[in-house]
Amino acid sequence: MARVKLTLPDAWQFDTTVTVRIGDINYGGHLGNDAVLSLVHEARLQYFKSLGYSEIDIEGIGIVLADAVVVYRAEAFHGDALRVRVGLGDFNAYGFDMFYHLENPAADKEIARVKTGIVFFDYQTRKIAPIPAAFIQRAGLAELVAAAAKESA
């Protein structure tokens, strides 16, 4: 069986800690596969909040999740404090990929690698929208966006 490989970015824009909740545990007694997306959702919310945004208001535009990839590396258990690093890459006119690296520093274990495809979305018109320029500036992403544009040209 071929395994999915997920290469992480060289730089991270945000770092936080999330704790594995009892509701994140499956019948196997460890972090459930569905709960990993919930934990990275929390990290994504914290990242946007650190910039003064919410997922439905980034300079007047929201976001939607277009896809997700999860690569599991080790078990995590109730009460584990997981470090989650968040990085952005693969920019296009309407969005980017968000990468997440989950690790348990206390156990010195990589727990998971995750990528979510983010698309900007105007909830008023119900259509995709360009990445707001003010977001790129506030988040300090101008170099990454320019490099991505140069690569695709």
Side-chain angles (χ1 to χ4, degrees):
M1 171 179 89
R3 296 285 316 261
V4 172
K5 294 183 182 178
L6 184 56
T7 303
L8 298 174
D10 295 330
W12 301 98
Q13 280 73 42
F14 185 73
D15 191 312
T16 191
T17 300
V18 295
T19 302
V20 178
R21 306 157 300 189
I22 192 63
D24 298 330
I25 302 302
N26 66 15
Y27 58 84
H30 54 223
L31 177 64
N33 58 1
D34 58 327
V36 172
L37 285 175
S38 178
L39 293 177
V40 300
H41 184 196
E42 177 64 29
R44 185 173 57 251
L45 286 171
Q46 288 183 29
Y47 168 68
F48 285 130
K49 187 175 181 181
S50 77
L51 297 171
Y53 297 124
S54 71
E55 288 187 318
I56 59 169
D57 186 6
I58 300 172
E59 304 296 333
I61 303 294
I63 61 165
V64 293
L65 192 74
D67 56 43
V69 174
V70 181
V71 177
Y72 302 97
R73 310 292 275 197
E75 294 177 296
F77 302 95
H78 176 250
D80 285 353
L82 304 181
R83 177 184 187 201
V84 183
R85 292 184 292 167
V86 179
L88 283 65
D90 297 333
F91 291 87
N92 64 48
Y94 301 100
F96 48 80
D97 286 338
M98 288 187 88
F99 298 88
Y100 314 83
H101 186 233
L102 287 74
E103 59 188 346
N104 182 338
D108 193 28
K109 287 186 178 179
E110 180 182 27
I111 303 302
R113 295 175 176 204
V114 182
K115 179 202 77 79
T116 58
I118 303 297
V119 176
F120 282 82
F121 189 77
D122 184 330
Y123 282 92
Q124 299 291 329
T125 63
R126 312 301 295 178
K127 294 181 180 180
I128 63 171
I131 300 174
F135 166 74
I136 292 168
Q137 293 306 313
R138 183 181 286 186
L141 300 171
E143 276 187 38
L144 286 173
V145 173
K150 201 176 215 180
E151 276 184 24
S152 66

